[in-house]
């Protein structure tokens, strides 16, 4: 039903075919993703009340320059920053700026580095000082959603199994799944086929086979799932202004399951990152 093609023989552009990658690509993705994860680890010590998201963005840019690598978002489709910083009811694609973070806020930082042509894409939630129990719970539910999706990412399953695992759990926790943004194939392209929906049913979508590489990046809301994009053309917010959280990993399908490329070298999972 779906078209898969050996990534080495495929045209680079996203023409809807699903690329299957070999050992060299997996090694490239491992290296790129590790640097992304290391940057996210280091950001744990930087996020604090009074810090601006521009300072966070400057750190990500500096990290990239220090390592001779490139932030994929910089000059991507007109975006001019090295990461996305999505605060509170911002669902994704928050633009770094000069407003200081305040105690009690939660912020997602989404970083993608290009290393030797390979893209490592990951995001995590960071609490700003002490946060409310409801925010803490949303962060836990969102992290668990991602990890349940990852558990479903294995040969024999379809992309729909990933979405179903996430949706079933998140909704059982009285949270909602954002429909307007999805995970994506990734590799030498930032955004490639297939789309990875964070809702759905088992058996729907694309069959998962060894060699596929993609992100899973559920956005989970405390309120209703609806989002709108602000006039800046990027910032997506919940329509009901309820709190939203997201975690993202880049993974590769193996013979027995999947490899998480963007796993934290420091061993961080959910905050507090100690
Ligand atoms: N890193 C985001 C993702 O997970 C994409 C950000 S694109 C940008 O796919 F242009 F908004 F930066
Ligand atoms: Co992504
Ligand atoms: Co991302």
């Amino acid at each position: 039903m779906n078209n898969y093609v050996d990534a080495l023989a495929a045209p680079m552009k996203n023409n809807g075919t699903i690329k299957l990658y070999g050992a060299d690509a997996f090694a490239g993705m491992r290296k790129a993703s590790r640097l992304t994860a290391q940057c996210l680890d280091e950001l744990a010590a930087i996020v604090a009340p009074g810090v601006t998201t521009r300072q966070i963005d400057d750190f990500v840019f500096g990290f990239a320059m220090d390592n001779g690598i490139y932030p994929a978002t910089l000059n991507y489709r007109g975006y001019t920053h090295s990461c996305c910083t999505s605060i509170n009811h911002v669902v994704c694609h928050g633009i770094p700026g000069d407003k200081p973070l305040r105690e009690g806020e939660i912020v997602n930082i989404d970083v993608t580095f290009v290393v030797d042509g390979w893209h490592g894409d990951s995001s995590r939630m960071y609490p700003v000082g002490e946060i409310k129990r409801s925010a803490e719970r949303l962060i836990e539910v969102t992290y668990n959603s991602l990890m349940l999706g990852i558990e479903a990412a294995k040969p024999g399953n379809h992309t729909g199994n990933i979405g179903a695992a996430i949706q079933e759990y998140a909704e059982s926790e009285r949270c909602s799944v954002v429909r307007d943004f999805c995970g994506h194939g990734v590799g030498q392209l930032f955004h490639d086929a297939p789309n990875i929906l964070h809702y759905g049913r088992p058996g729907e979508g694309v069959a998962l086979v060894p060699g596929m590489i993609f992100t899973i990046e559920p956005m989970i809301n405390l309120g209703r799932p609806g989002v709108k994009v602000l006039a800046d053309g990027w910032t997506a917010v919940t329509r009901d202004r309820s709190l939203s959280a997201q975690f993202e990993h880049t993974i590769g399908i193996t013979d027995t399951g999947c490899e998480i490329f963007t796993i934290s070298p420091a061993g961080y999972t959910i905050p507090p990152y100690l």
Side-chain angles (χ1 to χ4, degrees), residues 72-74 76-84 92-94 110-112 121-123 182-184 190-191 215 217 234 246 248:
T73 56
L74 194 53
Y76 176 78
R77 295 173 183 259
Y79 192 81
T80 54
H81 295 81
S82 299
C83 64
C84 298
C92 63
H93 302 164
D110 192 336
V111 173
T112 307
D121 185 6
S122 186
S123 82
C182 55
H184 50 90
F190 191 0
H191 294 108
T215 73
E217 48 182 300
W234 286 105
Q246 179 180 30
E248 173 176 29

